[in-house]
Amino acid sequence: MEELKELFGPAFGPALEAHGRSFAERLREDEGFVAEACELFEEGERRGEFPVLSELLAGASPEEREEFFRSGWVREVLPTRRPVAREPWDHAPWYGNVEAYREDLYAGMALGHPDLRAFAQEWLDELARVGYYGMEEALGLLLKQQADDLSAMPGPLPVYGEAFPVRFEDTEQTVWIRLDGPRSTERGYREIVVSDEPLRTDTAILAALTSLEGRRLDVGRLRERLPELMPFPGESFFDRWKAALGEGREQILRDLRHHRALDYVLALLRYHRPGFDDLPVEERAGLVADACAHVNGFLETLRKLATFLEHGRPGRRGPTATRVTARDVTAAVLKDVDGLTYREIGDKFGLLLPVDFGHKGDHATVRKMVIRGRKVLEQALGAEGWRAHAEA
């Protein structure tokens, strides 16, 4: 920058700082300026001046030097223009009012978001900002959502002030008694409100974690095996799996092959139920099995929703194409890659031979499976692509 000021004269620096790119754009159109700049630089370079510029332009052709003094120097002396980061609440109708934006977000804003991916990102940013409240560690009680509040944006009931927790020992359920509820229009005083609603943000985060960490498990098998597989206090299911691996107990390895999903359930129970590890092993095993059953139900409901949104029909379930397609694709692979006959493929799938196979030599069911599977593969890879893949 100092060498450019020296080259172009003392007015260059203040003019550039005052007018920025508009000044640079005007100079670009001035052919006389460009020619004079090139000439001054070459004269100064011969005298040993402008070492920084000389190094920058070393090896450049005359045309490249001319282009530099026409516009390339702008990249060297002006900071890169970056788009100004704008938050969702900077736009209309909020104009920077974060709280008004959050009120609308929690009330439901899908109507104004045709871009579902961008809308999902806004909610994910909000959940990251709020975080997981979970339990009040000092009391070991779950926080609850404000009840009967005119605000659409829920906040956790505090453990101080005008809200008080009550835990029912028989069920271990927590409710919150709020003394500063809405003022009664009939009696004039603030009503007492009872809340047992979990925080919406906590529920959303729990749903995301469960969809990512959960796994559908054989709960019936778990109920039989969990009493002998339950970790000790401070242990994990993975610890039990490692121990079984070292001892060569293959049955436990098979039963704990989804130990990661079990450890997720265990982490939930240990966090939300202080003293979980102090319970009798049968009770702990029962809680884990019940929690896994709820995870199964949640994952299945989520799968059904996603499947329906993709290709469901009014009043009908979505087609169960995946299992049939997988079978047909396997049949095509067995035929095109392994070279099995229709009869051999039928044997693989446990299909009975047609009654007329003896004189026709055709297994129509398997043949149709192979044709369908090959069609799927060719649709995905192209006919030539599938042939090349099969050969490979």
Side-chain angles (χ1 to χ4, degrees):
M1 181 66 173
E2 294 303 320
E3 290 188 0
L4 286 168
K5 287 181 181 179
E6 181 182 349
L7 180 64
F8 297 139
F12 172 79
L16 181 61
E17 293 170 3
H19 301 288
R21 289 184 184 276
S22 63
F23 173 70
E25 289 163 0
R26 290 199 302 272
L27 292 182
R28 176 183 175 83
E29 303 302 323
D30 189 337
E31 296 293 339
F33 164 79
V34 175
E36 183 180 355
C38 290
E39 184 178 349
L40 288 172
F41 172 70
E42 289 172 358
E43 291 177 359
E45 188 178 32
R46 284 193 293 269
R47 296 193 297 267
E49 300 173 0
F50 314 127
V52 176
L53 284 174
S54 296
E55 183 180 356
L56 180 67
L57 296 173
S61 67
E63 293 78 11
E64 291 170 335
R65 288 192 175 200
E66 180 180 338
E67 179 57 30
F68 172 80
F69 288 109
R70 185 179 300 279
S71 61
W73 57 270
V74 177
R75 294 191 298 271
E76 304 297 327
V77 300
L78 289 181
T80 302
R81 181 177 293 177
R82 296 183 176 88
V84 178
R86 293 179 63 85
E87 300 292 351
W89 50 81
D90 290 331
H91 303 281
W94 306 288
Y95 301 110
N97 189 330
V98 180
E99 292 307 310
Y101 163 81
R102 295 185 67 225
E103 288 277 350
D104 288 345
L105 179 66
Y106 280 85
M109 287 201 314
L111 176 64
H113 284 74
D115 185 345
L116 188 61
R117 294 177 66 181
F119 186 36
Q121 187 60 54
E122 288 189 33
W123 262 119
L124 291 173
D125 291 343
E126 172 65 9
L127 293 178
R129 191 195 69 79
V130 174
Y132 191 71
Y133 280 93
M135 288 192 311
E136 168 57 36
E137 293 184 6
L139 299 176
L141 299 171
L142 286 171
L143 298 185
K144 300 292 182 180
Q145 190 170 301
Q146 293 179 5
D148 295 339
D149 200 311
L150 296 178
S151 170
M153 182 177 63
L157 285 170
V159 295
Y160 51 83
E162 299 300 318
F164 304 91
V166 176
R167 166 169 276 175
F168 297 99
E169 295 299 333
D170 53 341
T171 63
E172 296 190 358
Q173 182 182 6
T174 300
V175 299
W176 287 80
I177 305 298
R178 180 181 170 194
L179 302 184
D180 58 345
R183 191 174 296 278
S184 170
T185 56
E186 298 178 3
R187 294 176 290 277
Y189 53 77
R190 290 191 176 276
E191 296 182 341
I192 297 176
V193 178
V194 178
S195 175
D196 66 347
E197 282 293 313
L199 299 181
R200 287 172 62 192
T201 49
D202 273 8
T203 304
I205 293 171
L206 179 62
L209 280 174
T210 302
S211 65
L212 295 170
E213 291 284 333
R215 202 61 94 74
R216 294 190 66 184
L217 302 172
D218 185 343
V219 176
R221 178 63 177 166
L222 277 176
R223 292 192 190 280
E224 296 175 3
R225 297 284 288 161
L226 272 176
E228 59 183 292
L229 301 178
M230 280 300 298
F232 295 107
E235 273 192 334
S236 65
F237 281 104
F238 182 56
D239 291 329
R240 300 300 303 272
W241 188 88
K242 287 191 298 183
L245 181 65
E247 297 167 6
R249 292 183 289 167
E250 289 77 8
Q251 184 59 51
I252 293 184
L253 293 176
R254 286 194 292 270
D255 291 331
L256 286 180
R257 63 187 179 279
H258 295 313
H259 53 79
R260 296 174 183 84
L262 288 169
D263 274 327
Y264 168 66
V265 169
L266 187 63
L268 289 177
L269 288 169
R270 281 174 168 166
Y271 178 76
H272 288 280
R273 290 174 171 263
F276 171 83
D277 281 323
D278 298 329
L279 297 174
V281 65
E282 293 80 7
E283 189 171 346
R284 286 188 287 125
L287 287 171
V288 169
D290 288 346
C292 289
H294 285 294
V295 169
N296 284 356
F298 169 78
L299 294 177
E300 177 62 15
T301 300
L302 191 60
R303 185 194 65 80
K304 288 180 179 178
L305 174 60
T307 301
F308 174 80
L309 293 175
E310 184 180 355
H311 46 61
R313 298 288 186 273
R316 294 170 52 193
R317 296 179 181 177
T320 56
T322 305
R323 187 175 301 173
V324 175
T325 302
R327 182 199 63 184
D328 293 346
V329 166
T330 300
V333 170
L334 291 173
K335 180 65 176 174
D336 295 349
V337 178
D338 294 282
L340 301 187
T341 65
Y342 290 146
R343 178 172 184 168
E344 290 170 332
I345 295 172
D347 291 341
K348 288 276 188 183
F349 287 106
L351 300 176
L352 296 176
L353 282 174
V355 293
D356 56 357
F357 184 83
H359 64 276
K360 284 189 175 182
D362 181 35
H363 201 314
T365 300
V366 175
R367 175 167 47 80
K368 291 175 183 177
M369 288 166 52
V370 170
I371 292 172
R372 288 196 302 265
R374 190 181 292 143
K375 184 177 180 180
V376 169
L377 291 165
E378 290 178 351
Q379 184 177 348
L381 305 174
E384 291 298 327
W386 165 236
R387 278 194 288 273
H389 187 77
E391 290 172 5

